[in-house]
Each structure stands twice: as structure tokens, then as C-alpha cells.
Amino acid sequence: MFSQYLVYSATLLGLSTAYATPRGTVPDDGFPNPNPQQLLSIEQQADGLLSNLPPPPTLSQAGITNFQLIAFNENLEVSFFQEIISNITNHVPGFEVESSTYSEAALLEVLKTVKAQEELHAITAITTLQNFKAPLVPLPCTYDFPSTTLEEAITLAETLTAVVLGTLQDAEQSFAQNGDDGPVRAVSSVIGQEGEQNGFYRVLLNRKPSEKPFLTTNVAAFAFSALQQFVVSCPFDVAQIPLPIFPGLSVLTAPEARDMYLSFSADLSGNPQVHEGSDFAGLFVTYLVGQQLPISEPIINPKFDGGVLTFDALFPFTENIMSGLSIAALTNASNFANADALVANTLAAPGLIQVNDPLLPSSKASNYSSSA
Ligand SMILES: *[C@@H]1O[C@H](CO)[C@@H](O)[C@H](O)[C@H]1NC(C)=O
Ligand SMILES: *[C@@H]1O[C@H](CO)[C@@H](O)[C@H](O)[C@H]1NC(C)=O
Ligand SMILES: *[C@@H]1O[C@H](CO)[C@@H](O)[C@H](O)[C@H]1NC(C)=O
């Protein structure tokens, strides 16, 4: 069964895009182009209206990129929640609702509301991009998700939402640096909203609802890279969103709430600077956790085979209280001044690491809890 410590990374999520079959998950509510009647029913299901504030007068190039990433991500989330709803509704094996707290009807109502709210987030990003005549407005893609049970799906929802909660910090930072004060209030309202969602997923998973005093930060390029593993194909050129896509950093060891060495691997075959004779001693695993300065640990035991580098690095849990989400990157430098500084020195990222002690003994917990 589920380990209480869950690791997500490109490889462990087990997606084989080559064999992925698109699934019929297109919402029937007109999204992403609802007519006025359809928009009203989305708003009713979402328990609120789209903002009617006028658009900001200007938006910087960086602001456009932020909204491209937000639209790309929100489109994916809409499909993800639509697919969970459809799996529960169609009684797909593994998607039986066995919670002692939530009936199937109640959980479906929560998820339908989340989906409608994500649709309004996506529509807001899309109309902002259209308003500023962005060179690319991301439309929904075809996706493949690795989850095959409701528990896995909720666990993935929690991880994706935690990554978004870090990424929207980066968007706000970028808005501030580029004079884009217009969207700040609305994006902050979405940060709180996604935090409410994650509290609920965490309770379902038998974790404390509030994860950390200061949620783990992230950077746009790592979020964009992480989302690629779910994408089968898009009706636009993904490379036109001006963010780098890094090879994934796979976390091969189940992390625990203690200092320990984790094994990692990364496929660096596309990196012309890395070859058999490279000096791997100059590489680090750099962790983002909470609002700490990036934490760099030198890699040890590097093995380079067929373009794939495997190695170990310390996971310094105790000193840094690395509960909840940590985001790992393979970097060729250390002593970074902030999260954004990592990007220029990253070879592979992100590795998504979760350490969450169960709140209640599993016999007393909801059946979505992780039992060791
Ligand atoms: C969890 O599921 C098991 C078997 O499926 C059941 O016996 C148990 O009562 C359930 N626990 C709760 C809290 O729902
Ligand atoms: C829905 O169920 C199918 C069949 O088990 C599974 O492949 C898919 O990943 C599930 N979707 C989600 C979002 O969990
Ligand atoms: C570090 O990595 C970056 C990104 O791959 C690369 O551009 C840079 O040349 C590397 N620096 C060194 C010293 O290897």
C-alpha cells in the first residue's frame, strides 16, 4: 500500500508518453470558451463571479509569461479534476469513495466546485493574455495522469497544488519587479483559494491541514518543467512559452523525517556540457524549502551511464525542519542568494519531495490516509 512518505518526480510518476492514450476529459460546460449562459453555470458551481475590474493598463513581457504559465497550469488542473470527477461518477475501480467523513455526493460536490473555480482562474489568465495580445495564449492540451486510485489522485492534487502555491509566489515577485501592480490583488486571492483546497486534500490524506509556517517557494521554470510529464500533446508549440524545460530530477529513495542520503537520477543526455569525463564533483542538490535560502548539498557516488547520472546527496531534514514539500534541483553552483538565482545553474529539476507524518493512527483516519 501507500508509504506515508510520498515522492513525486518525473520518472516515479511513471508516465510513458510514447504509449499514452488521450482520454475523453473535455468538460461539457463550454470551457475554455463558454457562452454567457455556460459561464453563468460555471460561476454558480464555483460559488462566485469572475472579476469585473477593468484590466490593468499595462503588462510587462515577464507579466505575459507569468500568465502564460498560469493558463498552462490551470488548463491542466481543469482536466485533472474533470477526470477525477468522471472516474468517481463512472465508478472506475479504485475510485470508490471510502471516506468515513465524506459521502460520494459530498466529495463530488467539492471537486465540481474546485473544477469550476479552476476554470475561472484559467479564463482569467486567458482573457488577460488576449487583452494584451500575447503572442501565445495556451489552450487546453491532452494530458495523461499517472494516478489509478482516488488516494493517488488526491495525493497528486496535493503535490501539484503545493507546487502552484510556490510558483505563484514567484509570479508575485516578478509582478513587483516589473511594475505590474495590476494583477497582484487577484493573484493573491487565488493563492489563498489554492491554500484552502490544499488544506482539504491534506485532511483527506490524514495530514495536518496547514503544511508549514511559510510555504515552500518555487520558480516558474521548475513548475513549467514539472508539468510537462503530464502533457501528451498541445494545440500550440509549448516551446513558445519563454521558460526553460529542464530534464526531471528523479528521487529514487523514499524520504523520511530524519537526516538521510537520498538517491537521485537525471537524464542529462541532452546536455552537451555533460559527458563521461565531466567533473561531477562540482555538482550539488539544491533544495528549496519554506522561505529558507536555497540549501546546497554536494553530490556523492556519481555514476554516469548512457547519458543518465545517478548520485546521492544528503537530505538535511533536522536542521531545516523539511516537513511538507521540498523542491530539489541538480545545480553546478551553491550559495544561491535566492530561488530565482538557481535557474541559470540548474542541470535538472524539479525533484518533488514530500515528508508528512500521518496525523491520526490510520485505523482512526479516513481511508484516504496513507498507511505505512
Ligand atoms: C477503511 O476501510 C476498511 C476496509 O475497506 C474498513 O474496514 C474500515 O472501517 C474503513 N475505515 C474508515 C475509518 O472508514
Ligand atoms: C482515471 O482512471 C483511469 C483508469 O484507472 C486512470 O488511468 C486515470 O489516471 C484516472 N485519472 C485521474 C486523474 O486519476
Ligand atoms: C552551469 O550550468 C549552466 C546551465 O546548464 C551552464 O550554462 C553553465 O555553463 C554551467 N557552468 C559551469 C561552470 O559548468
Side-chain angles (χ1 to χ4, degrees), residues 29-249:
D29 53 13
F31 178 83
N33 297 303
N35 63 33
Q37 194 60 44
Q38 289 170 320
L39 178 60
L40 181 61
S41 17
I42 294 173
E43 292 172 325
Q44 283 164 340
Q45 179 68 62
D47 294 330
L49 295 174
L50 278 179
S51 168
N52 59 2
L53 295 172
T58 58
L59 190 64
S60 69
Q61 282 302 313
I64 299 249
T65 305
N66 293 336
F67 276 108
Q68 286 172 329
L69 176 59
I70 291 172
F72 187 79
N73 175 67
E74 296 286 3
N75 286 337
L76 179 144
E77 292 202 34
V78 168
S79 287
F80 179 59
F81 287 107
Q82 169 67 30
E83 203 173 297
I84 301 175
I85 292 165
S86 147
N87 282 358
I88 296 174
T89 308
N90 296 322
H91 300 109
V92 169
F95 284 79
E96 300 84 8
V97 176
E98 285 171 352
S99 161
S100 51
T101 316
Y102 296 95
S103 65
E104 180 182 305
L107 188 63
L108 276 174
E109 181 58 18
V110 171
L111 294 172
K112 284 177 183 175
T113 297
V114 165
K115 188 198 82 174
Q117 292 167 337
E118 301 292 6
E119 287 178 333
L120 297 182
H121 298 166
I123 289 169
T124 302
I126 288 168
T127 52
T128 303
L129 290 168
Q130 286 167 340
N131 182 62
F132 289 102
K133 305 206 164 32
L136 176 76
V137 180
L139 292 170
C141 301
T142 305
Y143 310 98
D144 192 11
F145 299 104
S147 38
T148 56
T149 64
L150 185 53
E151 180 172 346
E152 287 174 7
I154 298 295
T155 304
L156 180 54
E158 197 275 342
T159 295
L160 287 179
T161 306
V163 168
V164 168
L165 285 165
T167 311
L168 291 179
Q169 297 170 29
D170 201 46
E172 298 282 55
Q173 180 83 31
S174 160
F175 290 142
Q177 281 168 339
N178 292 285
D180 289 330
D181 65 307
V184 169
R185 192 182 296 262
V187 171
S188 304
S189 81
V190 171
I191 295 177
Q193 200 278 343
E194 301 275 347
E196 291 181 322
Q197 288 186 42
N198 237 18
F200 176 72
Y201 307 141
R202 293 178 58 83
V203 168
L204 281 183
L205 294 167
N206 192 24
R207 303 173 187 171
K208 294 181 223 177
S210 54
E211 180 187 335
K212 296 185 75 62
F214 303 100
L215 293 181
T216 295
T217 200
N218 193 19
V219 291
F222 292 0
F224 192 51
S225 300
L227 294 175
Q228 303 305 321
Q229 66 191 296
F230 307 113
V231 173
V232 178
S233 63
C234 290
F236 57 89
D237 181 9
V238 172
Q240 281 187 27
I241 298 179
L243 289 169
I245 297 175
F246 293 112
L249 179 58

Side-chain angles (χ1 to χ4, degrees), residues 271 273 332 344-347:
N271 186 331
Q273 292 186 334
N332 62 12
N345 288 93
T346 290
L347 283 74

Side-chain angles (χ1 to χ4, degrees), residues 41 50 106 110 128 134 149 164 217 259 284 286 301 318 323 328 335 339 358 371:
S41 17
L50 278 179
V110 171
T128 303
T149 64
V164 168
T217 200
D259 294 342
F284 299 81
T286 299
N301 303 327
T318 311
S323 295
N335 294 315
S371 45

